[in-house]
Amino acid sequence: MINTQIKPFNATAFKNGEFVEISEKDVLGKWAVFFFYPADFTFVCPTELGDVADNYAELQSRGVEVFSVSTDTHFTHKAWHASSETIGKIQYYMVGDQTGNITNNFGVMREGQGLADRATFLIDPQGTIQAMEITAEGIGRDAQDLLRKVKAAQYVAAHPGEVCPAKWKEGEATLTPSLDLVGKI
């Protein structure tokens, strides 16, 4: 999936108290995160979505839009948003994918269950997948690590020929791969 283009889609999302129609065209031209999760009104999912909500302003300041996606309907997202303090702070798109089209496009549909895996995809402004993470049901994701990956992907995009080593943080040294570097790390 890395370095592939996102596929066409159409969906209805809940955002800022309204239902809005979105498509892949809304993703192009900016950095985007697709944040798949199994279902509304569950256990690990709200902790993850709340963590992303707590980091949404910083993601926005970096030109990143967030699209959370589950196979629930946009109506269910609205009800959850209204009934949960944690989910109520979400300002990003909550995409209803009841047909499973988006979830299948990203290859994270649980066969025979109709639920998305716990998966994150980082998309560049050209619509190309630059990073992805898929975890087991009981393993929650960390928005700070997602933010670190966003910063690394944006740095690499802006600095061709440089790469970010393990645990790289913004402002730290990068590497410039070359024959001279082979065997010296």
Side-chain angles (χ1 to χ4, degrees), residues 8-24:
F9 70 88
N10 291 291
T12 305
F14 178 72
K15 186 176 194 296
N16 294 328
E18 297 182 7
F19 295 132
V20 293
E21 297 301 315
I22 62 167
S23 75
E24 76 285 352

Side-chain angles (χ1 to χ4, degrees), residues 152-171:
Q154 289 179 335
Y155 184 90
V156 169
H159 299 88
E162 293 184 48
V163 296
C164 297
K167 299 183 183 180
W168 180 85
K169 301 274 193 279
E170 191 171 34

Side-chain angles (χ1 to χ4, degrees), residues 144-145 147-149 151-152 155 164-174:
Q144 283 294 305
D145 192 49
L147 192 53
R148 184 190 67 77
K149 291 173 187 172
K151 291 174 182 179
Y155 184 90
C164 297
K167 299 183 183 180
W168 180 85
K169 301 274 193 279
E170 191 171 34
E172 293 181 351
T174 59

Side-chain angles (χ1 to χ4, degrees), residues 2 8 19 31 51 65 69 104 121 167:
I2 298 297
F19 295 132
W31 288 86
D51 188 30
E65 187 52 78
V69 184
N104 281 312
F121 294 85
K167 299 183 183 180

Side-chain angles (χ1 to χ4, degrees), residues 26-34 59-60 62-67 121-131 149-158:
D26 296 300
V27 178
L28 300 176
K30 64 181 138 248
W31 288 86
V33 168
F34 277 74
L59 287 163
Q60 285 274 277
R62 300 195 69 84
V64 179
E65 187 52 78
V66 175
F67 300 86
F121 294 85
L122 174 59
I123 317 297
D124 71 17
Q126 291 73 43
T128 305
I129 299 170
Q130 293 297 325
K149 291 173 187 172
V150 165
K151 291 174 182 179
Q154 289 179 335
Y155 184 90
V156 169

